[in-house]
């Protein structure tokens, strides 16, 4: 099976009614990003941060995977698919994708504020129990915090993501402006001669050094075109 690596951004989840980028919905408009999505913001007011992500989880629980998510999951029948996502939602997993690498964390998980990546402290929340309350503690006794990569923090999965891209036979970019680093730099790990497809309804500036097939459509429509026009002869 050919190895397809897919990098997804906020545009992947727009059709599900869920997006996490600045200014995208009323929730973000009510907060300063430095107050709810930075390490300094967490130190200043952890209750404000936890309440913000409680509200985001409530929205995510109501959202459903869209056709684009489902098409990517179905591609696993014919391809070895790895999804690298900048999104913190779990819509890829809920659609059935088996291999999803989150660069910026996972909204439905919480962890230790002392040691964020300690697996003993990472806890997955449920739709029935998704809120973090004042004073809730992780297994190590520190305050529970969102399992999110805040601004001012390193992106721990970027090395693994680069390895995925280096090994890809086909690289697909969906719903991202390629302006957010280090994720945008993954394009430079594509081996010479590997086809690159970019799906986004908006114009995206890309490096001239890459021969990129640009499909100017939403995620769902763009993936359908990708499958029918470009990948149908490469299945299996």
């Amino acid at each position: 099976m050919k190895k397809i690596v897919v990098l997804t951004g906020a545009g992947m989840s727009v059709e599900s009614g869920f997006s996490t980028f600045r200014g995208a919905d009323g929730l973000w408009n009510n907060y300063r990003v430095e107050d709810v999505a930075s390490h300094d913001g967490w130190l200043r007011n952890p209750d404000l941060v936890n309440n913000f992500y409680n509200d985001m989880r409530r929205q995510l629980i109501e959202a459903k995977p869209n056709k684009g998510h489902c098409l990517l999951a179905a591609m696993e029948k014919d391809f070895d698919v790895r999804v690298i996502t900048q999104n913190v939602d779990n819509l890829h997993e809920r659609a059935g994708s088996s291999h999803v690498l989150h660069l910026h964390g996972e909204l439905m998980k919480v962890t230790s504020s002392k040691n964020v990546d300690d697996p003993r402290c990472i806890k997955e929340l449920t739709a029935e129990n998704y809120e973090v309350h004042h004073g809730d503690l992780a297994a190590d006794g520190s305050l529970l915090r969102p399992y999110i990569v805040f601004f001012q923090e390193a992106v721990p999965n970027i090395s693994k993501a680069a390895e995925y891209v280096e090994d890809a036979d086909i690289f697909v970019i969906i719903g991202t402006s390629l302006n957010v680093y280090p994720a945008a730099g993954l394009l430079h790990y594509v081996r010479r001669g590997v086809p690159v497809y970019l799906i986004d309804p908006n114009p995206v500036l890309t490096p001239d050094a890459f021969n990129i097939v640009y499909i100017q459509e939403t995620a769902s429509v763009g993936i359908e075109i990708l499958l029918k026009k470009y990948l149908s002869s490469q299945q299996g």
Side-chain angles (χ1 to χ4, degrees):
M1 280 189 175
K2 289 204 170 183
K3 296 177 181 177
I4 295 184
V5 174
V6 184
L7 173 64
T8 67
M12 186 76 224
S13 298
V14 166
E15 295 169 75
S16 295
F18 184 81
S19 52
T20 58
F21 51 89
R22 242 179 288 184
D25 53 40
L27 185 58
W28 276 104
N29 289 335
N30 293 330
Y31 296 88
R32 296 191 314 160
V33 68
E34 55 267 32
D35 288 337
V36 295
S38 73
H39 186 73
D40 286 346
W42 166 258
L43 294 177
R44 282 195 304 269
N45 194 338
D47 282 344
L48 176 69
V49 174
N50 275 327
N51 288 337
F52 173 78
Y53 287 97
N54 286 340
D55 287 341
M56 282 186 64
R57 290 187 199 103
R58 186 179 300 113
Q59 289 189 359
L60 176 56
I61 289 165
E62 294 174 355
K64 291 181 172 56
N66 61 56
K67 188 176 182 179
H69 291 112
C70 296
L71 287 171
L72 286 182
M75 283 169 58
E76 293 186 9
K77 292 183 294 184
D78 299 300
F79 300 97
D80 179 358
V81 182
R82 297 287 186 274
V83 176
I84 303 167
T85 185
Q86 298 174 80
N87 300 335
V88 297
D89 62 59
N90 59 359
L91 295 171
H92 282 298
E93 290 92 337
R94 284 163 59 188
S97 286
S98 304
H99 306 286
V100 184
L101 183 68
H102 286 266
L103 292 181
H104 297 156
E106 298 178 62
L107 182 57
M108 292 303 292
K109 293 182 180 179
V110 288
T111 188
S112 159
S113 53
K114 182 180 179 181
N115 188 349
V116 176
D117 293 312
D118 184 344
R120 296 170 297 179
C121 296
I122 299 171
K123 175 184 176 183
E124 186 153 8
L125 303 176
T126 65
E128 295 75 31
N129 184 20
Y130 65 86
E131 291 187 310
V132 176
H133 302 98
H134 173 76
D136 283 354
L137 301 179
D140 63 0
S142 68
L143 282 177
L144 272 179
R145 59 158 275 181
Y147 189 54
I148 298 292
V149 178
F150 291 143
F151 290 104
Q152 304 167 316
E153 295 180 337
V155 178
N157 281 333
I158 194 65
S159 295
K160 184 182 287 188
E163 291 175 7
Y164 282 2
V165 176
E166 284 179 327
D167 202 32
D169 297 313
I170 299 166
F171 187 48
V172 182
I173 303 165
I174 305 172
T176 176
S177 62
L178 293 178
N179 286 329
V180 177
Y181 283 84
L186 290 172
L187 184 60
H188 297 278
Y189 288 88
V190 177
R191 289 178 288 115
R192 185 182 298 275
V194 168
V196 179
Y197 302 93
L198 190 154
I199 299 169
D200 200 289
N202 304 307
V204 179
L205 290 176
T206 56
D208 293 335
F210 295 89
N211 184 20
I212 298 175
V213 176
Y214 181 28
I215 303 171
Q216 193 167 1
E217 295 287 354
T218 61
S220 295
V221 174
I223 295 170
E224 281 190 302
I225 293 171
L226 175 71
L227 287 168
K228 292 176 181 177
K229 186 173 181 180
Y230 299 103
L231 302 185
S232 59
S233 62
Q234 303 186 49
Q235 295 178 352

